[in-house]
Amino acid sequence: MGRIREKRQWILLLAGLVLLAVLLVLFAVRAQLQRRSQSKSSTTFCMSTVVDQRAYGANAEEAMQKVEQALRDFEDELSLYRAQSDIAQINAAAGGQPVAVQPQTLALLQQGKELALQSENAFALTLAPLTLAWGITSETPHVPPQSEIDALLPFVNDNDILLDAKNGTVQLVKQGQAIDLGGIAKGTACNVARAIYTENGVDSALLSIGGNIYAHGAKPDGSEFRIGFRDPSKSAGVSIASFTLRDATCAVSGGYERYFEENGVRYHHILDPETGAPAESDIVSVGVVDADGTVADFYSTTLFVWGKEKALAYLSGEGTGLLLDAENNLYVSRALQASFELVEDDYNVVFL
Ligand code: AMP
Ligand code: MG
């Protein structure tokens, strides 16, 4: 009898230990899952705009810090306003000798020039003399005299950007010419971030840089990131529609992003290379989605200058995005339809 009781006690003890071990494993797995699904966020000011990040996983914080640093380096390298940047040096040497630049600067100029030459004169990297004349990003933006605009327009010609891949140099043909990468900088910054998330083993992150949003992968639970689209005439932060985004950048352009007023007239920051003045667009806001942030950013600016008719032809064909006009028509590309949701009712949604 005694031995049987002893045996039963042993079995009970063993069962208890097994149960304890199972519970411990379960707790560890749950903690691990929680850690993986926990998001970290960071906000900083860089490239003249707010940069917001949200990332998941063990390396999230470290990767976000690296992204912040990389974007500062990127700005130092490419801003026409930083005297030591590759771009400022190219501009300073315009009409003179070729300038040796970083390989990534050359690669971006190559891609930017190629895209710009496809824009049918809506997008020009050599628009800088006019951006500077208008003081678009300065403390004192102003309307330049027409004579000044007329004198600067002949400098706008992206064929005058001479790229020598073999020697790693760039040259602007005429003195007075200058490059401004503002139209593709933020989208390109999304590509910079993507590389860092990938290198650091971050599978899931969302980056917002001045209206450009990059979704890296999906959320840890597998659901995709949902992106909001705003009507600039409504209060900031309120989305009128949303859609999902994965491993792609959505770049948004509109006259509302940056502007100034003079004598009661509003002047915005997207210039028409043909007139040297703010583009007279019938588009309120346009968002373009592409796996390559540079391409998305290029097209958002270009579509705004093109205007509604030509922009809609692009968004119904090879392009993906959405476009809001002044009559509250919201046009949505086929590729976005499956996940598209209208948040505010007072818009007429047109699926392309
Ligand atoms: P985004 O916000 O991407 O539409 O870019 C606007 C910025 O690009 C401006 O602040 C200028 O620096 C530059 N930009 C303005 N108009 C043009 C244009 N037509 N082509 C290329 N860059 C432009
Ligand atoms: Mg752009």
Side-chain angles (χ1 to χ4, degrees):
M1 277 300 271
R3 286 183 73 184
I4 292 174
R5 197 181 299 144
E6 213 173 274
K7 210 170 165 189
R8 201 184 293 150
Q9 276 172 346
W10 270 110
I11 289 170
L12 277 174
L13 187 68
L14 209 66
L17 283 172
V18 168
L19 190 68
L20 195 68
V22 168
L23 282 175
L24 281 173
V25 169
L26 281 177
F27 274 127
V29 168
R30 203 176 74 146
Q32 175 73 9
L33 282 176
Q34 265 176 349
R35 222 173 299 135
R36 271 183 55 191
S37 63
Q38 237 171 33
S39 74
K40 299 270 167 47
S41 58
S42 88
T43 300
T44 189
F45 192 83
C46 181
M47 298 174 69
S48 317
T49 190
V50 177
V51 178
D52 274 316
Q53 298 183 77
R54 197 166 90 220
Y56 298 78
N59 305 337
E61 257 167 326
E62 198 189 334
M64 288 192 296
Q65 272 175 16
K66 286 185 182 169
V67 167
E68 288 187 1
Q69 188 53 49
L71 296 190
R72 287 184 214 295
D73 295 344
F74 179 71
E75 189 178 15
D76 286 342
E77 227 167 78
L78 296 173
S79 172
L80 83 144
Y81 303 102
R82 302 269 162 108
Q84 294 312 310
S85 79
D86 278 352
I87 299 301
Q89 309 241 5
I90 295 167
N91 293 349
Q97 294 300 308
V99 175
V101 297
Q102 304 276 340
Q104 59 268 34
T105 305
L106 194 87
L108 182 59
L109 286 173
Q110 231 150 10
Q111 186 187 8
K113 178 180 171 181
E114 213 167 283
L115 288 167
L117 293 179
Q118 288 167 28
S119 75
E120 293 168 32
N121 221 11
F123 189 100
L125 296 173
T126 48
L127 201 65
L130 285 146
T131 345
L132 292 167
W134 284 85
I136 298 285
T137 50
S138 76
E139 298 280 300
T140 51
H142 58 277
V143 183
Q146 189 59 44
S147 57
E148 188 182 347
I149 294 178
D150 292 341
L152 292 174
L153 275 173
F155 292 118
V156 182
N157 182 357
D158 284 7
N159 282 309
D160 288 347
I161 307 173
L162 306 184
L163 303 162
D164 183 340
K166 216 173 92 212
N167 293 311
T169 62
V170 183
Q171 184 181 15
L172 283 167
V173 174
K174 295 183 205 135
Q175 191 182 359
Q177 287 189 308
I179 293 171
D180 169 14
L181 288 171
I184 48 172
K186 292 183 213 125
T188 307
C190 293
N191 292 350
V192 171
R194 176 185 57 205
I196 291 175
Y197 293 141
T198 306
E199 275 163 26
N200 288 273
V202 171
D203 299 329
S204 179
L206 196 64
L207 168 86
S208 153
I209 169 160
N212 293 249
I213 295 183
Y214 168 60
H216 185 74
K219 288 190 209 163
D221 67 2
S223 65
E224 291 183 323
F225 289 110
R226 188 160 275 279
I227 307 303
F229 186 74
R230 294 197 306 114
D231 177 346
S233 68
K234 298 266 168 79
S235 61
V238 179
S239 299
I240 58 164
S242 70
F243 56 94
T244 60
L245 194 67
R246 187 188 193 127
D247 292 323
T249 293
C250 177
V252 181
S253 285
Y256 61 92
E257 284 177 295
R258 190 173 265 162
Y259 60 84
F260 68 95
E261 270 173 38
E262 197 172 296
N263 298 326
V265 183
R266 192 183 265 205
Y267 299 91
H268 62 72
H269 70 140
I270 302 176
L271 305 179
D272 184 337
E274 287 190 341
T275 63
E280 283 177 28
S281 180
D282 50 3
I283 294 172
V284 170
S285 180
V286 58
V288 176
V289 174
D290 200 284
D292 182 340
T294 308
V295 172
D297 201 359
F298 158 75
Y299 272 111
S300 70
T301 310
T302 298
L303 296 197
F304 183 80
V305 177
W306 275 350
K308 188 171 141 181
E309 199 183 325
K310 206 163 164 184
L312 287 181
Y314 173 75
L315 293 176
S316 323
E318 57 172 302
T320 297
L322 57 180
L323 184 156
L324 177 67
D325 71 11
E327 286 79 46
N328 278 6
N329 294 309
L330 182 57
Y331 299 87
V332 184
S333 274
R334 187 181 298 268
L336 299 181
Q337 287 175 21
S339 72
F340 179 85
E341 275 174 22
L342 190 66
V343 183
E344 296 263 336
D345 284 337
D346 37 351
Y347 294 86
N348 173 39
V349 176
V350 183
F351 289 123
L352 298 169

